[in-house]
């Protein structure tokens, strides 16, 4: 299916061949990220971020600039008419007049789907509540493919806040399109959402555990996530789990030599800084892959590349 004009709301809207296409185009974007291009000349991206963001927002904006386009934005509801009581629906109806594509981050599950249904231009979900973050999954898949050379035949552990972490939900759906074995590692109160576990385990072998050491020697990828403090209904619950999984160099002694550690970032304290200099650490490189994969998504959805 053509990408032109498509919304990117959930990774589940994409087939394996769609994802392969984005990963192939991402590879072509790497030299353009250095040299620049004019393929999105005249196109305007509107960034609507109603939650904090560093990487998602800046990488989308940078991707647009590198391809010759430009950006407008709202970053705080305080500075827009949302403060005056304007609904998300009316905000979308307004902004679509000023741009060619919208990237939305919003605290509510379902927000990106609603915006996409209302909007006449493509909407990219830059994170919808605890639900999904599909372009993070694309950059995560690209990171694995680029660093390990393949996506099939791998064992992958997803560690941390699997209940509220939207990146793991999207990534698990994406990985389940490949021949992978998935290990969900979390404290009991933050286990992977049932609907995600049930769907992925129909396609691939999936296990739940709370002991990372047990599976460390088997895995090719360790995907660590932050405990999503802002999504806990009860601060005491956060205090109970906040430091349950912290990766330190000692955890890595039985790891495969080529095992890679990823993290969508920001990191709080779930990976000790002395892991950063080990050959396993790929979470800083992952941000570069985020830029090029967003260049690919924008080029495809805006129809600059078929
Ligand atoms: C993530 C998010 O916003 O879901 N950040 C990101 O986009 N790289 C992860 C997080 O906030 O923990």
């Amino acid at each position: 299916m053509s990408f032109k004009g498509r919304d990117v709301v959930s990774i589940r809207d994409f087939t394996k061949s769609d994802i392969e296409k984005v990963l192939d185009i991402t590879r072509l974007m790497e030299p353009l990220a250095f040299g620049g291009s004019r393929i999105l000349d005249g196109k305007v991206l509107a960034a609507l971020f109603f939650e904090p963001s560093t990487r998602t927002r800046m990488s989308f904006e940078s991707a647009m600039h590198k391809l010759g386009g430009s950006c407008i934005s709202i970053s705080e509801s305080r500075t827009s008419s949302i403060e005056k009581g304007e609904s998300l629906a009316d905000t979308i109806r307004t902004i679509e007049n000023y741009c060619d594509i919208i990237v939305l981050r919003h605290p509510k599950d379902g927000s990106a789907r609603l915006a996409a249904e209302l909007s006449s231009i493509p909407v990219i979900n830059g994170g919808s509540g605890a639900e999904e973050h599909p372009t993070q999954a694309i950059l995560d898949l690209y990171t694995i493919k680029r660093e390990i050379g393949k996506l099939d035949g791998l064992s992958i552990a997803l560690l941390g806040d699997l209940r509220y972490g939207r990146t793991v939900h999207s990534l698990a759906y994406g990985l389940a399109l490949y021949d992978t074995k998935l290990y969900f590692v979390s404290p009991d109160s933050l286990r992977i959402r049932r609907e995600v576990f049930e769907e992925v385990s129909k396609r691939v072998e999936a296990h739940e555990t709370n002991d990372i050491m047990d599976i460390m020697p088997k895995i090719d990828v360790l995907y660590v996530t932050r405990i999503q403090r802002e999504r806990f209904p009860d601060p005491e619950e956060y205090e109970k789990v906040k430091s349950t999984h912290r990766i330190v160099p000692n955890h890595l002694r039985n790891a495969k030599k080529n095992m890679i550690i990823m993290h969508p970032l920001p990191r709080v304290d779930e990976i000790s800084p002395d892991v950063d200099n080990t050959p396993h650490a790929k979470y800083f490189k992952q941000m570069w892959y985020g830029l090029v994969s967003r260049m690919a998504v924008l080029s495809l959805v805006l129809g600059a590349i078929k």
Side-chain angles (χ1 to χ4, degrees):
M1 193 161 126
S2 162
F3 274 90
K4 189 173 175 190
R6 265 173 95 171
D7 301 304
V8 182
V9 170
S10 165
I11 200 77
R12 291 147 86 206
D13 300 338
F14 294 85
T15 62
K16 182 173 176 179
S17 78
D18 288 337
I19 290 174
E20 286 290 301
K21 168 95 184 173
V22 183
L23 302 184
D24 289 346
I25 300 300
T26 302
R27 189 73 181 88
L28 301 179
M29 290 293 151
E30 288 200 24
L32 300 190
F34 291 112
S37 159
R38 307 293 312 163
I39 58 173
L40 295 183
D41 193 16
K43 300 287 186 194
V44 176
L45 173 146
L48 262 65
F49 278 70
F50 301 123
E51 276 190 351
S53 171
T54 301
R55 279 150 285 269
T56 304
R57 179 178 177 149
M58 294 193 78
S59 63
F60 266 114
E61 294 187 355
S62 174
M64 203 63 194
H65 288 300
K66 291 211 177 242
L67 295 172
S70 53
C71 306
I72 55 175
S73 66
I74 293 177
S75 53
E76 283 187 78
S77 45
R78 208 165 38 84
T79 62
S80 72
S81 287
I82 291 179
E83 180 70 12
K84 301 181 191 165
E86 185 161 59
S87 65
L88 177 65
D90 285 359
T91 303
I92 296 290
R93 282 189 197 106
T94 306
I95 284 162
E96 66 181 0
N97 293 284
Y98 310 145
C99 62
D100 303 282
I101 190 162
I102 295 172
V103 181
L104 173 70
R105 171 168 289 188
H106 194 282
K108 289 230 161 48
D109 290 23
S111 51
R113 184 70 68 196
L114 174 72
E117 279 165 12
L118 293 167
S119 169
S120 60
I121 60 170
V123 171
I124 297 183
N125 179 2
S128 48
E131 177 191 45
E132 277 222 47
H133 192 348
T135 63
Q136 178 73 42
I138 290 170
L139 82 88
D140 293 338
L141 294 170
Y142 187 68
T143 303
I144 299 172
K145 191 160 184 187
R146 240 357 217 99
E147 290 296 325
I148 304 189
K150 59 178 186 176
L151 282 154
D152 286 313
L154 300 180
S155 294
I156 294 146
L158 301 152
L159 170 79
D161 186 347
L162 310 184
R163 179 184 174 88
Y164 298 117
R166 55 193 170 200
T167 68
V168 265
H169 302 148
S170 295
L171 181 58
Y173 290 131
L175 287 168
L177 297 173
Y178 292 85
D179 171 25
T180 51
K181 204 182 271 185
L182 304 181
Y183 295 96
F184 295 99
V185 193
S186 66
D188 279 344
S189 61
L190 299 178
R191 283 168 64 188
I192 187 77
R193 285 185 175 193
R194 285 309 85 194
E195 72 265 23
V196 179
F197 189 80
E198 276 159 28
E199 188 168 321
V200 301
S201 50
K202 280 187 208 141
R203 292 172 171 271
V204 297
E205 198 180 314
H207 303 274
E208 286 188 283
T209 170
N210 44 35
D211 184 3
I212 186 67
M213 286 317 283
D214 199 34
I215 56 165
M216 191 62 91
K218 303 185 209 169
I219 56 175
D220 302 289
V221 179
L222 172 60
Y223 189 91
V224 185
T225 61
R226 174 179 72 88
I227 309 290
Q228 309 278 299
R229 179 169 48 91
E230 67 277 26
R231 305 215 191 277
F232 279 64
D234 176 356
E236 265 177 44
E237 287 304 311
Y238 171 73
E239 290 302 318
K240 280 189 209 152
V241 291
K242 69 176 186 196
S243 301
T244 41
H245 288 100
R246 176 175 158 83
I247 299 295
V248 298
N250 198 30
H251 285 117
L252 305 173
R253 63 183 192 276
N254 295 328
K256 287 186 186 175
K257 196 168 140 287
N258 299 327
M259 188 274 285
I260 63 168
I261 305 175
M262 296 169 57
H263 191 307
L265 301 177
R267 151 174 69 178
V268 182
D269 65 354
E270 55 282 352
I271 303 178
S272 154
D274 43 10
V275 173
D276 298 358
N277 293 326
T278 69
H280 302 290
K282 298 294 176 201
Y283 30 93
F284 296 123
K285 193 75 190 291
Q286 203 177 337
M287 290 188 278
W288 153 255
Y289 297 134
L291 170 67
V292 287
S293 57
R294 285 171 175 139
M295 289 169 71
V297 170
L298 291 172
S299 306
L300 284 161
V301 172
L302 288 169
I305 291 184
K306 289 224 168 48

